[in-house]
Amino acid sequence: MKFIDGHNDTVIKVKKNGIKRFLKGDRSAHLDLPRAMEAGFAGGFFAIYTPDRSVFPQIEDYQTAEGYQLPLSEPCDHHYAHQYTDYMLNLLLQAEQNSQGALKFVSNKEELLKYVNEGTIAGVLHIEGAESIDPDFKALYTYFDKGVRSLGPVWSRPNIFGEGVPYHFPSSPDTGVGLTNKGKQLVEKCNKLGIMLDLSHINEKGFWDLAGITNAPLVATHSNVHALCPISRNLTDQQIDAIGQSNGVIGVTYSLNMLSQDGKIDANVSMDEITKHIHYIADRIGIEHVALGSDFDGTTIPSKIEDVRGVPGLLDHLQKEGLTTRELKKVSMDNWLRVLQDTWKA
Ligand SMILES: [Zn+2]
């Protein structure tokens, strides 16, 4: 069964190991072109995230009996983020050019449907954290022209648009201030351009600020259920309800730190630890509002998935748990297609 995935950070592996390995096979990555095709990966969001210049703190170093409270990352310099994002965007476009037609980054609905139907991998260019965008929004238009059709205003740190959640467990997502005036303008401009806005990583005040302004469906590309795993990154029931009411979608992530009720990070967890998030969202707001959002190459994932070839096993598991073929198709593909078609202008 073919599927669309809400979030990967595979460009990090492309930068590290080269385009050729992405195209021919990179066993150090969760996702490369040959395994994507083998698995039925019909398309997905390819995120560009500018990393902290300091070493990112590890959860293990902060773990106590009660949980962990990683410090909020420092803001990221705009000029550095702009250069870095340009470089990564170029890498992805080069990979596309050298893929002999196997991978296409799509910028409108027609291309999206055409490539998904004909079996070409349909990539969506996504910027995760808008540090690369200047306060005058010039870069936003440049990125749009280059094909970017999805944007998360913040990663887990503050910027001129708003603030992301630090990684705290247990913790509510209500960890800081909401959108700034520039952040509100960014939402309006993305609405006008038809760029999808991603609520993953944003804090709760920012979430409600964005939800109050946007005219597009609410989307979290890689977030799970706070009631099942109370980490700051996951969505409260009220947030889940708002996403459902907006006809939006939540991409459930396989990220180990966002799965379990007790906050333990265990690579040997069962498939149920992922599927319980999918069922919870489907039961609460409907099967039309839950999809996949792996976070491949951006995090550690269960060994039962291991890499992109583990996704068919996850879908099989959902079917065994009682999802009909039609429901499964919504989760694997149709919900992402609907939300993109409802959001993009062309
Ligand atoms: Zn992320």
Side-chain angles (χ1 to χ4, degrees), residues 9-19 21-22 26-32 35 88 91 296-299:
D9 287 296
T10 301
V11 69
I12 295 170
K13 293 287 182 182
V14 180
K15 176 174 179 274
K16 195 168 169 225
N17 300 329
I19 289 172
R21 274 181 67 183
F22 169 73
D26 181 356
R27 299 307 295 256
S28 79
H30 290 145
L31 193 147
D32 58 30
R35 282 180 294 162
M88 296 305 243
L91 270 184
F296 283 139
D297 293 314
T299 188

Side-chain angles (χ1 to χ4, degrees), residues 47-336:
I48 299 170
Y49 149 73
T50 306
D52 282 19
R53 292 173 100 168
S54 52
V55 177
F56 191 70
Q58 297 297 304
I59 286 174
E60 298 85 85
D61 299 337
Y62 287 83
Q63 187 92 49
T64 68
E66 288 80 44
Y68 50 83
Q69 304 236 314
L70 266 57
L72 182 63
S73 292
E74 293 290 312
C76 175
D77 175 67
H78 161 65
H79 292 287
Y80 171 69
H82 195 181
Q83 278 182 353
Y84 190 92
T85 302
D86 283 356
Y87 180 82
M88 296 305 243
L89 186 54
N90 202 31
L91 270 184
L92 286 172
L93 295 174
Q94 278 180 40
E96 175 194 36
Q97 273 171 21
N98 288 293
S99 73
Q100 295 178 314
L103 167 68
K104 290 278 188 190
F105 286 105
V106 298
S107 57
N108 60 55
K109 302 175 205 184
E110 195 189 326
E111 285 178 351
L112 174 69
L113 296 178
K114 174 175 177 273
Y115 291 128
V116 165
N117 288 330
E118 72 181 33
T120 300
I121 292 174
V124 177
L125 293 168
H126 170 78
I127 294 178
E128 184 177 25
E131 283 84 359
S132 56
I133 293 169
D134 52 285
D136 297 327
F137 301 101
K138 288 196 188 81
L140 179 67
Y141 294 93
T142 312
Y143 290 136
F144 181 82
D145 289 342
K146 288 186 177 171
V148 172
R149 291 294 179 273
S150 176
L151 173 83
V154 295
W155 183 73
S156 284
R157 62 190 168 204
N159 65 23
I160 62 166
F161 305 110
E163 197 175 295
V165 287
Y167 279 76
H168 288 179
F169 185 98
S171 165
S172 105
D174 190 11
T175 57
V177 298
L179 289 183
T180 62
N181 281 332
K182 285 286 169 201
K184 292 172 185 168
Q185 287 174 34
L186 178 65
V187 173
E188 286 163 3
K189 287 181 191 301
C190 285
N191 279 171
K192 277 202 185 109
L193 289 166
I195 293 177
M196 194 192 89
L197 288 154
D198 179 14
L199 288 154
S200 289
H201 288 279
I202 203 164
N203 67 26
E204 191 168 358
K205 285 198 176 70
F207 179 102
W208 294 118
D209 284 347
L210 193 153
I213 305 166
T214 186
N215 60 23
L218 302 180
V219 175
T221 59
H222 58 306
S223 292
N224 289 348
V225 175
H226 194 270
L228 300 176
C229 173
I231 187 174
S232 49
R233 269 279 281 113
N234 282 342
L235 299 161
T236 65
D237 286 349
Q238 290 70 32
Q239 292 177 311
I240 292 169
D241 292 348
I243 290 171
Q245 281 153 21
S246 77
N247 203 24
V249 76
I250 299 163
V252 164
T253 172
Y254 321 148
S255 187
L256 290 178
N257 57 5
M258 291 164 68
L259 294 176
S260 73
Q261 188 76 54
D262 60 9
K264 287 223 175 69
I265 292 165
D266 175 10
N268 297 315
V269 290
S270 69
M271 257 339 172
D272 303 5
E273 287 290 291
I274 301 172
T275 59
K276 71 180 185 183
H277 289 270
I278 295 173
H279 294 305
Y280 186 100
I281 296 165
D283 290 346
R284 191 169 178 95
I285 58 172
I287 197 86
E288 287 74 25
H289 307 296
V290 60
L292 306 178
S294 69
D295 208 359
F296 283 139
D297 293 314
T299 188
T300 48
I301 62 172
S303 53
K304 294 240 165 28
I305 302 262
E306 197 179 352
D307 62 43
V308 65
R309 292 172 305 172
V311 177
L314 173 67
L315 296 172
D316 281 351
H317 198 85
L318 283 167
Q319 195 151 35
K320 285 199 192 92
E321 288 173 333
L323 257 63
T324 64
T325 306
R326 199 154 158 257
E327 288 170 331
L328 206 56
K329 198 162 164 283
K330 289 183 182 180
V331 174
S332 63
M333 179 95 89
D334 293 348
N335 293 340
W336 276 129

